[in-house]
Amino acid sequence: MLYLPSRLGQCEGRKKLMKLMFLVEHFDPGLGRLVRKSLLGDSFLIYHYGVFSFEVMNCYNELVKEGKIREGPGGLESSPVCRGISLGSPEKRGGSDLKLELGEKLRERVDGVIERFGNLTGYELEVQTLKTLGISEKDRYFGRPVESIIR
């Protein structure tokens, strides 16, 4: 999760970060489409503002609490001590081992997602992810896991 704001320089807000994390989990840039099997193992469902993960939100809150992500008027950014640092497995994302590097497969996925979607706002990502899932009325899908929706 820290790699996203450090790679973007700054991230508009937690909504954008959440949608980008969903895309890292389920969008395969090589195939150009969503895939059911998640990459990191975080579960996403349809919620008030589109795709959402309680696991990602808990990790995010912990990183803010630890000072590794800063929320400010310009959006989110990784703290100066974390810039250029990337994390690997889900167990390490919120942990204290900040020297762990992203694996090649994960780095390629994250970089591909950033290249394709990184310039969109949080709202645009909300609309785009729902559209990509084939959802026009999110209320009909509220609470459903995305794996049951991805074709």
Side-chain angles (χ1 to χ4, degrees):
M1 185 179 300
L2 287 176
Y3 183 68
L4 286 167
S6 69
R7 176 80 161 62
L8 290 167
Q10 199 165 35
C11 186
E12 171 194 330
R14 65 177 81 179
K15 183 178 190 178
K16 179 172 181 167
L17 187 62
M18 180 66 68
K19 304 323 175 210
L20 289 174
M21 285 298 296
F22 164 74
L23 291 165
V24 167
E25 283 284 359
H26 289 287
F27 186 82
D28 185 326
L31 297 174
R33 64 177 175 83
L34 294 175
V35 293
R36 269 194 201 114
K37 185 172 173 15
S38 68
L39 184 65
L40 300 171
D42 293 319
S43 300
F44 281 82
L45 51 88
I46 304 304
Y47 213 55
H48 298 287
Y49 298 102
V51 294
F52 182 82
S53 169
F54 288 100
E55 297 153 326
V56 170
M57 195 67 208
N58 289 339
C59 180
Y60 169 82
N61 288 333
E62 192 62 32
L63 291 170
V64 169
K65 182 179 169 184
E66 293 173 4
K68 295 173 184 168
I69 291 180
R70 293 188 305 202
E71 298 177 297
L76 307 175
E77 61 182 29
S78 57
S79 68
V81 79
C82 294
R83 289 205 184 103
I85 295 172
S86 51
L87 303 174
S89 67
E91 303 81 46
K92 299 289 185 181
R93 286 187 308 222
S96 59
D97 183 9
L98 293 176
K99 293 184 169 56
L100 187 62
E101 291 295 318
L102 287 174
E104 185 177 335
K105 180 180 179 181
L106 181 54
R107 181 180 300 277
E108 285 176 10
R109 173 78 66 95
V110 175
D111 288 344
V113 164
I114 289 171
E115 285 175 27
R116 187 158 181 169
F117 302 101
N119 63 331
L120 299 177
T121 67
Y123 175 74
E124 290 169 335
L125 282 167
E126 177 185 344
V127 171
Q128 181 65 43
T129 54
L130 290 171
K131 182 179 176 183
T132 305
L133 283 164
I135 296 174
S136 58
E137 298 175 39
K138 79 180 155 197
D139 291 346
R140 289 183 49 211
Y141 292 87
F142 190 86
R144 281 191 53 192
V146 296
E147 291 86 356
S148 70
I149 301 167
I150 296 172
R151 295 178 178 94

